[in-house]
Amino acid sequence: MKEKRHDYYYRKAKQTGYRSRASYKLIQIDRKFHIFRKGDLVVELGAAPGGWSQVALELIGEEGRLVGVDLQGIRPLEGAIFIKGDFTDDAVKERIREELGGRNPSVVISDMSPNISGAYSTDHARSVYLTELALDFAIENLKKGGVFVAKVFEGDLLPPLLKKARANFGMVKMHSPPASRSSSSEIYIVAKGFRGRPENRERSPEPVNEGT
Ligand SMILES: C[S@@+](CC[C@H](N)C(=O)[O-])C[C@H]1O[C@@H](n2cnc3c(N)ncnc32)[C@H](O)[C@@H]1O
């Protein structure tokens, strides 16, 4: 059953010209949570071969722009700027910011996967590490009200990551789109309503001392 579904999305991607079957995961996430709007500025982490980028570019339209990064090179797509590099490298984060030209993205998406070792706890820990870096980047760069979507492998290190997401976004959900394989431990964090950079948030007023 699972393999049949895998073949189904694989074939569908081939027929429609999407570069990856993962495209359908983003389509399904967007249908449920309305991630993209026309004209959005999007940062995409772990973008190769470009299947998610194709979907995002369709949804943000001609006015939108996407800056994508991956360890692998990505064939060009109109409306996208791709950077080849390691996102964990500070110089690469700086290059992304340069390409944004001082603007804050409205959406940060990450489908980054670590190299799979096969040892569950190692892969889970590596995935949480990458996703936390993606979340930190979103918190430092998103515009207020912005959206963050990221893949992570489920496991016991997840709760602190979710806590951080909840502290910074108005709505945080965990979602497994139908196009994810049922055997997979991957799940997507969908966070909407970015509260703004912590240092810019209004503090609640000091309590007034009405004593004598
Ligand atoms: C599942 S693929 C992404 C597929 C993509 N969403 C699509 O639809 O075409 C995961 C990608 O994450 C990338 N990746 C993993 N670690 C990375 C890192 N540290 N910096 C940049 N890219 C990374 C991998 O090179 C790989 O291409």
Side-chain angles (χ1 to χ4, degrees):
M1 181 66 203
K2 166 189 88 196
E3 282 311 316
K4 265 197 190 147
R5 203 163 53 155
H6 167 57
D7 286 349
Y8 171 74
Y9 287 112
Y10 177 81
R11 277 202 312 272
K12 215 169 152 176
K14 284 265 172 223
Q15 284 160 8
T16 49
Y18 284 132
R19 294 180 183 179
S20 70
R21 63 186 297 287
S23 297
Y24 289 98
K25 299 181 202 171
L26 190 60
I27 290 171
Q28 290 165 354
I29 291 170
D30 185 74
R31 280 201 189 129
K32 191 166 170 67
F33 295 103
H34 312 289
I35 305 302
F36 300 101
R37 290 195 200 163
K38 296 283 176 216
D40 272 347
L41 178 59
V42 178
V43 171
E44 182 182 1
L45 311 171
W52 272 30
S53 320
Q54 289 173 297
V55 171
L57 287 165
E58 282 166 15
L59 293 168
I60 62 180
E62 284 179 9
E63 303 294 306
R65 284 287 170 273
L66 181 142
V67 178
V69 61
D70 202 288
L71 297 165
Q72 319 283 331
I74 303 171
R75 270 185 293 133
L77 285 170
E78 199 172 334
I81 292 160
F82 291 123
I83 298 165
K84 186 177 175 188
D86 183 342
F87 173 70
T88 64
D89 186 343
D90 283 342
V92 172
K93 287 187 206 139
E94 202 40 55
R95 276 217 46 212
I96 299 173
R97 277 190 276 267
E98 275 168 30
E99 293 297 352
L100 292 172
R103 290 175 303 159
N104 297 102
S106 27
V107 182
V108 173
I109 53 178
S110 168
D111 199 23
M112 285 191 290
S113 296
N115 281 331
I116 304 297
S117 72
Y120 169 76
S121 53
T122 308
D123 294 339
H124 167 56
R126 286 180 183 166
S127 164
V128 169
Y129 171 68
L130 276 179
T131 306
E132 184 162 10
L133 289 183
L135 176 60
D136 288 343
F137 180 87
I139 292 168
E140 279 159 32
N141 293 283
L142 266 180
K143 76 178 195 194
K144 200 169 174 192
V147 181
F148 174 68
V149 176
K151 177 168 72 187
V152 68
F153 297 164
E154 280 188 289
D156 54 1
L157 301 175
L158 214 48
L161 183 66
L162 289 178
K163 192 174 170 197
K164 195 188 238 184
R166 292 204 171 99
N168 285 283
F169 290 83
M171 183 217 87
V172 177
K173 299 259 189 234
M174 304 301 288
H175 178 65
S176 180
S180 278
R181 291 175 211 173
S182 54
S183 64
S184 165
S185 64
E186 74 183 17
I187 190 150
Y188 288 84
I189 300 175
V190 179
K192 292 183 76 173
F194 177 53
R195 299 186 206 275
R197 288 185 64 151
E199 63 272 28
N200 296 340
R201 283 181 212 156
E202 268 183 35
R203 290 207 208 119
S204 29
E206 296 293 327
V208 180
N209 184 351
E210 290 179 350
T212 51

